[in-house]
């Protein structure tokens, strides 16, 4: 029994080590604040660890973790915890090397983009972050958000329309489409 637990713990550690930067980045895009992002990522992983036997053997453990993160973020938002979505400094955020085709990562002014995200309602922000930053399919986003594909399309379209209305972001948003 001890060997299986050690193997499971090692599998979990390996999962966390390989995905920590991406989890914190996604959490940061959802919360807009470095410490809140780290708290959200940590709380997510605490929940996942308890169920790791089931999660680790799932077809897509990362999708399960995303769903837990979205749910945890939604619970915090429902409790009316204030989010600071336009931080003065995100220098402590763990950096991830951007893909060469990632238009959002190539945006000249990260601050403008974060302020724009801050203006989106939470469900639109979640849809835009998961669809365009995480480059998930609409079906994957729907699973992560616990809603229909139609709701994802609607929230993402409304969010993108609001982002397009911001002058400095128009080109980035227009040319940064994701998968269909």
């Amino acid at each position: 029994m001890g060997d299986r637990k050690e193997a499971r713990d090692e599998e979990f550690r390996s999962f966390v080590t390989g995905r920590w930067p991406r989890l914190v980045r996604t959490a940061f895009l959802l919360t807009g604040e470095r410490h809140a992002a780290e708290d959200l990522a940590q709380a997510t992983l605490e929940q996942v660890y308890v169920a790791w036997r089931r999660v680790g053997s799932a077809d897509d453990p990362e999708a399960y973790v995303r769903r837990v993160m979205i749910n945890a973020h939604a619970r915090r938002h429902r409790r009316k915890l204030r989010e600071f979505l336009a931080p003065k400094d995100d220098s402590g955020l763990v950096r991830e090397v951007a893909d060469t085709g990632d238009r959002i990562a190539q945006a000249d002014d990260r601050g403008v983009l974060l302020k724009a995200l801050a203006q989106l309602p939470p469900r639109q922000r979640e849809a835009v972050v998961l669809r365009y930053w995480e480059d998930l399919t609409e079906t994957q986003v729907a699973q992560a958000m616990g809603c229909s594909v139609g709701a994802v399309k609607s929230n993402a379209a409304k969010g993108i329309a609001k982002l397009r209305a911001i002058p400095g972001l128009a080109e980035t948003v227009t040319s940064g489409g994701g998968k269909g």
Side-chain angles (χ1 to χ4, degrees), residues 46-59:
E46 287 172 4
Q47 286 184 297
V48 168
Y49 177 75
V50 172
W52 186 251
R53 185 178 334 153
R54 184 177 62 243
V55 175
S57 63
D59 289 338

Side-chain angles (χ1 to χ4, degrees), residues 88-108:
K88 292 183 177 134
D89 179 23
D90 67 348
S91 61
L93 185 65
V94 177
R95 300 287 179 210
E96 185 176 330
V97 177
D99 297 335
T100 54
D102 186 354
R103 295 270 193 216
I104 302 292
Q106 298 170 1
D108 291 334

Side-chain angles (χ1 to χ4, degrees), residues 12-24:
F12 180 75
R13 269 192 295 276
S14 177
F15 178 86
V16 171
T17 301
R19 293 180 181 72
W20 180 253
R22 186 176 187 145
L23 287 171
V24 172

Side-chain angles (χ1 to χ4, degrees), residues 51-86:
W52 186 251
R53 185 178 334 153
R54 184 177 62 243
V55 175
S57 63
D59 289 338
D60 190 359
E62 201 163 335
Y64 185 99
V65 173
R66 260 193 310 273
R67 177 67 186 261
V68 170
M69 181 179 286
I70 293 296
N71 289 343
H73 180 258
R75 276 192 306 277
R76 288 178 182 194
H77 181 68
R78 278 193 297 269
R79 284 189 220 134
K80 307 273 186 216
L81 290 180
R82 184 175 172 143
E83 293 179 345
F84 297 96
L85 292 170

